[in-house]
Amino acid sequence: MKELWRFVDNLGTFETSSADKIKSLYFPLGNEVLMSSITPDLHGDIKSGQNSFLLEPVSRINLVSSRASRNFWVYINQNKIWSATGVSRDLKQIQADQVDFEAGLLWQKTARENKSIGLKSEIISFVPATGEPVEIMRVKLSNTSAKEIKFIPTAAIPLYARGANNLRDHRHVTSLLQRISLNKYGVISKPTLSFDEAGHRPNKDNYFVLGVDSRGNSPPYIYPTQEMFCGEEGDPEAPEAVLNNLLPNQRPIQGKEPMAGLRFREITLSPGRSSSYIILMGITQDVKVINHCLNKFNSVKKVESALQKTKVFWQEKGRAIKVSSADSDFDNWLNWVNIQPTLRKIFGCSFLPDFDYGKGGRGWRDLWQDCLGLILSDPKQARTLLLNNFGGVRIDGSNATIVGKKAGEFIADRNDIARVWMDHGVWPLITLDLYIHETGDLNILFAEAPYFRDQHIWRSRKISRDWNTGRICKGLVYEHLLIQNLTQFFNVGQHNHIRLEGADWNDGLDMAQEFGESVTFSAMYAQNLNRLAELLLKSGKKKILLTKEINILFKHFNYGDRNEKRKILESYFAQVENRIAGKKISVEVDALVRNLKIKALWMTQHIRKSEWLKEGFFNGYYDNQKKRVEGRARGLLKMCLASQVFPIISGVANDQQLAKIIKSVNKYLLDKQLKGYRLNTDFKEEQHNLGRAFSFVYGDKENGAIFSHMVVMYAYGLYSRGFAKEGWEALSSLYKLSVDTKNSKIYPCLPEYFNGEGRGMYAYLTGSASWFMLTLLTQAFGVRGENGDLLIEPKLMAEQFDKDSVIGIKRKFAGSELQINFSNPKKLDYGKYKIVKVTLNSKPLLLVDTRRMLINRRSLLENSLNILDIVLG
């Protein structure tokens, strides 16, 4: 397979004739209320949440092994029976099909032609962007032969209609709960209970499948159970009702596995003629919605209109940041990366086939990183969301780990496990800092937000029985940030670095809860403390009102005394474990700024002094035996990429150390064959005192995979420190791996990681997409906000410019569209060119600095579209 797919326009649309050969390939369809996964042969599932699956839940392996799928049968005679979706026990017939596949931003079309049958099917699938809880499947059958063809068309959708847990837990018992009703147009099943032995609940969900032909006619015959449709053999790939041309019988239908077998009227097609069928599959608690969906999508014309609206909706999201460069495939690929944060908002981290874990919702880290894209496109909406997000911070500095779909909805943990990730306090400030730079809105720091409160106290080390008594306490957003970062300064282990606790960014480092330490994120907390000081100074305030109990965290002492740090932290925890007094104290800003800067400097110097290794990189971790993880021992060199990335970003690594880190990364972590950066070297043995990651096979997941998120952040760090050539090599390596479809075997997107074979894994739902666009826009193009004004500081490489020596990027800024065109007539690399000319809407601007251009925000407010032309030379 030389090329899995190719783009056919500049909107991200692609086509392929070989996707059906890779059975694990899946595609996302969805809106805010319904989520689907679908393959070229229409395997996959449809759900609205963990407890509401219309089709049977699938993992990656089920896409290959499951016989249940969306199907559409054509019965001509006993010897000519054809699956228009390509899912049949007649493998010889399937292999004779000519298959073509086309897809765009959240719609797909599979065309399948069988010359011996004389028919061609075109099946378009999408979930309408207008918000209806329904997946639409439009089937078009065309006669490609020279003779009339008479056939009976039958849609075949096996319903699951219950929660994911019941896939094995009481599968038969929960079928007894099914209450099936026959609608004129199809089947509706409403189980009596949502079955859970921990506490059964009345079920409210209606699971429905309806169908009409191109004239709006209903199917005259309906098979409402799998037993009736498939027969005793029970094989949906060879259903007896189709193979033997049987009509529905009068057997009981309640308490059975539901089925939507919709047999339409027999039809005769002349050569070149076509007939169409519309299948609606959905979930709703309101039966009126079912009729609404039917009335809205019961004709080909209406479906075409809905499809067009859906295309426009997603194309606009795909163009949120639009690039015109030397590589049109790269520009097109970015359409898909642009929409990935929205996909994660819809699907969370649990509802695509690779993501077969958890029970829905996004994690805390995901929440803040997905906000990055929203800040760049719609900062007004982002402000409200950011304020809601701070409601997930506990007053002990920890936070809820799972975020619901509703604003301000937080859960302690998706699996009811009291677990704390030590890096979680880092991300809110990074995200808020971007917002402040993009908007100049420092006032958000002094808005109030509630603290999250549940039974978990002392960073989940203890349980409170009185947690739900008393009032909900509030504090400034700035105070939330202070508590998150200051408490961690005191939360140290044996080597005076911040404790690893349940894990950090790397979830696989989860077996060192007692004595593990993360030097990696200690570096980021040092940066955050320093940034908190800078923001407070910038606010111009002389004093700030803070919750009284926080005062103990400002204490001066010998910061090398780790025991004193722990005592202070425990004293703070004791004061806030149940309720706080509600009193505020006035704190001098100058004193607080000094306090934060001294702490930040101490942490920075401590890491530089104690964790820089003679091998030319930083040690990032201590394990549960209090042993240093990285470096060379017994002839084996151990190195982690994250351990270098965050000292680079934070500035903990000085310029001399940074140069050595780059060499070490290229020597030890760069995969010479795949040209990608691995997460770690091969530790050669399991690390039961550090984490599960090292029990995975090397080259997969958190054990040495090419992990997109960390590679992007490596690129970001390199760019931010002026190493543009190396930054572009890292950033573009992910694109090249993605589009190397011979190895990656994925549709256009940025996956979570690439395994040791270069295969893209865990497609679509990854925070690396937000960071990729952030890095490309703000670092490579250098187009970003600075205290509310527009900064242009390009770090582009010559190869990125097109044949006319031009590259452009379009984004929103200050409420208007902004088109920035860079011209590089001498095709110079970063470091060799300067900014020689800038015009705004054809008017020249005064150049003060030839490396960077700062444009006042007010000058951009008059026009809905501003065009900046920048000449480099």
Side-chain angles (χ1 to χ4, degrees), residues 615-845:
E615 288 82 4
F617 55 86
F618 280 101
N619 168 59
Y621 297 97
Y622 286 88
D623 68 16
N624 219 32
Q625 291 184 327
K626 306 178 184 178
K627 293 180 180 179
R628 176 176 282 168
V629 170
E630 293 169 79
R632 191 180 296 277
R634 301 191 302 277
L636 180 66
L637 185 130
K638 298 178 180 179
M639 179 183 181
C640 297
L641 183 58
S643 304
Q644 320 315 316
V645 166
F646 293 106
I648 292 172
I649 292 175
S650 65
V652 167
N654 60 35
D655 290 344
Q656 293 77 22
Q657 289 171 331
L658 175 53
K660 291 179 180 178
I661 287 172
I662 293 171
K663 289 181 180 179
S664 295
V665 168
N666 289 337
K667 183 176 181 180
Y668 300 119
L669 296 177
L670 180 62
D671 186 299
K672 304 303 188 288
Q673 182 176 349
L674 296 174
K675 309 298 183 186
Y677 299 87
R678 290 186 178 273
L679 198 54
N680 54 271
T681 57
D682 189 353
F683 282 28
K684 299 295 183 182
E685 59 185 6
E686 294 184 74
Q687 305 289 313
H688 292 168
N689 288 302
L690 185 56
R692 68 175 189 248
F694 301 94
S695 297
F696 301 146
V697 63
Y698 182 69
D700 251 283
K701 252 317 195 166
E702 290 96 344
N703 187 17
I706 298 170
F707 226 88
S708 297
H709 200 168
M710 198 47 57
V711 175
V712 170
M713 297 200 77
Y714 179 51
Y716 182 92
L718 292 171
Y719 272 118
S720 68
R721 299 291 295 272
F723 287 80
K725 176 178 178 291
E726 294 80 0
W728 175 241
E729 286 173 353
L731 195 66
S732 62
S733 72
L734 294 173
Y735 160 67
K736 292 172 183 176
L737 284 163
S738 297
V739 299
D740 177 16
T741 55
K742 181 180 179 181
N743 291 314
S744 68
K745 296 180 174 63
I746 54 173
Y747 295 142
C749 74
L750 181 61
E752 182 181 275
Y753 72 91
F754 299 89
N755 68 15
E757 300 166 2
R759 186 166 196 144
M761 302 294 293
Y762 293 68
Y764 303 109
L765 309 182
T766 166
S768 56
S770 291
W771 274 94
F772 192 100
M773 297 310 300
L774 177 74
T775 303
L776 183 69
L777 173 66
T778 67
Q779 297 300 318
F781 280 88
V783 178
R784 60 185 183 271
E786 185 170 280
N787 302 319
D789 294 326
L790 178 66
L791 176 67
I792 311 289
E793 187 180 11
K795 296 176 183 175
L796 296 160
M797 303 305 296
E799 68 181 76
Q800 294 175 260
F801 291 81
D802 65 19
K803 58 182 175 56
D804 298 319
S805 302
V806 173
I807 190 171
I809 191 165
K810 192 172 186 178
R811 64 159 299 189
K812 289 182 179 178
F813 188 83
S816 67
E817 292 287 342
L818 183 63
Q819 174 68 48
I820 308 104
N821 305 310
F822 295 91
S823 175
N824 184 5
K826 297 180 181 179
K827 279 284 184 89
L828 300 174
D829 275 327
Y830 170 75
K832 296 182 179 179
Y833 58 68
K834 298 177 181 178
I835 300 174
V836 297
K837 184 181 179 183
V838 180
T839 62
L840 172 61
N841 301 324
S842 301
K843 296 179 181 179
L845 299 180

Side-chain angles (χ1 to χ4, degrees), residues 80-177:
K80 278 193 173 183
I81 302 169
W82 184 52
S83 167
T85 67
V87 179
S88 167
R89 205 157 65 181
D90 190 345
L91 296 180
K92 185 177 180 181
Q93 187 184 80
I94 293 172
Q95 290 165 358
D97 289 350
Q98 170 62 44
V99 183
D100 292 298
F101 180 85
E102 184 180 3
L105 296 173
L106 267 62
W107 61 271
Q108 76 163 39
K109 180 175 75 173
T110 302
R112 185 176 291 270
E113 182 175 1
N114 190 296
K115 293 190 182 299
S116 65
I117 296 292
L119 290 175
K120 177 182 179 180
S121 68
E122 287 184 0
I123 302 176
I124 293 177
S125 300
F126 67 100
V127 172
T130 44
E132 289 80 11
V134 64
E135 178 186 308
I136 301 173
M137 172 179 163
R138 197 214 72 187
V139 182
K140 181 181 178 182
L141 298 175
S142 303
N143 183 349
T144 58
S145 74
K147 299 179 180 180
E148 282 188 345
I149 300 179
K150 188 177 183 180
F151 61 87
I152 300 169
T154 304
I157 314 296
L159 279 68
Y160 174 75
R162 66 198 84 166
N165 293 341
N166 301 132
L167 193 60
R168 182 183 178 279
D169 183 12
H170 293 88
R171 175 67 187 261
H172 171 255
V173 168
T174 52
S175 72
L176 303 178
L177 304 175

Side-chain angles (χ1 to χ4, degrees), residues 14-205:
F14 63 95
E15 64 180 16
T16 171
S17 58
S18 54
D20 62 307
K21 304 296 190 296
I22 304 176
K23 297 300 183 183
S24 59
L25 264 178
Y26 60 84
F27 194 76
L29 304 173
N31 58 27
E32 292 289 343
V33 294
L34 197 78
M35 302 167 282
S36 296
S37 62
I38 192 167
T39 68
D41 61 10
L42 276 59
H43 278 82
D45 57 23
I46 302 172
K47 59 270 173 183
S48 61
Q50 174 72 4
N51 298 315
S52 306
F53 277 74
L54 174 69
L55 305 186
E56 187 174 286
V58 296
S59 297
R60 170 183 280 256
I61 189 64
N62 302 117
L63 298 176
V64 180
S65 62
S66 175
R67 294 184 177 185
S69 67
R70 310 162 181 86
N71 212 328
F72 199 93
W73 293 93
V74 174
Y75 179 92
I76 299 174
N77 57 51
Q78 199 120 28
N79 299 315
K80 278 193 173 183
I81 302 169
W82 184 52
S83 167
T85 67
V87 179
S88 167
R89 205 157 65 181
D90 190 345
L91 296 180
K92 185 177 180 181
Q93 187 184 80
I94 293 172
Q95 290 165 358
D97 289 350
Q98 170 62 44
V99 183
D100 292 298
F101 180 85
E102 184 180 3
L105 296 173
L106 267 62
W107 61 271
Q108 76 163 39
K109 180 175 75 173
T110 302
R112 185 176 291 270
E113 182 175 1
N114 190 296
K115 293 190 182 299
S116 65
I117 296 292
L119 290 175
K120 177 182 179 180
S121 68
E122 287 184 0
I123 302 176
I124 293 177
S125 300
F126 67 100
V127 172
T130 44
E132 289 80 11
V134 64
E135 178 186 308
I136 301 173
M137 172 179 163
R138 197 214 72 187
V139 182
K140 181 181 178 182
L141 298 175
S142 303
N143 183 349
T144 58
S145 74
K147 299 179 180 180
E148 282 188 345
I149 300 179
K150 188 177 183 180
F151 61 87
I152 300 169
T154 304
I157 314 296
L159 279 68
Y160 174 75
R162 66 198 84 166
N165 293 341
N166 301 132
L167 193 60
R168 182 183 178 279
D169 183 12
H170 293 88
R171 175 67 187 261
H172 171 255
V173 168
T174 52
S175 72
L176 303 178
L177 304 175
Q178 299 289 345
R179 295 297 182 268
I180 302 167
S181 59
L182 295 180
N183 181 284
K184 177 182 177 182
Y185 295 93
V187 171
I188 303 171
S189 184
K190 184 180 182 182
T192 53
L193 290 177
S194 179
F195 190 93
D196 184 348
E197 288 191 308
H200 307 307
R201 300 180 308 280
N203 169 63
K204 297 180 180 179
D205 290 318

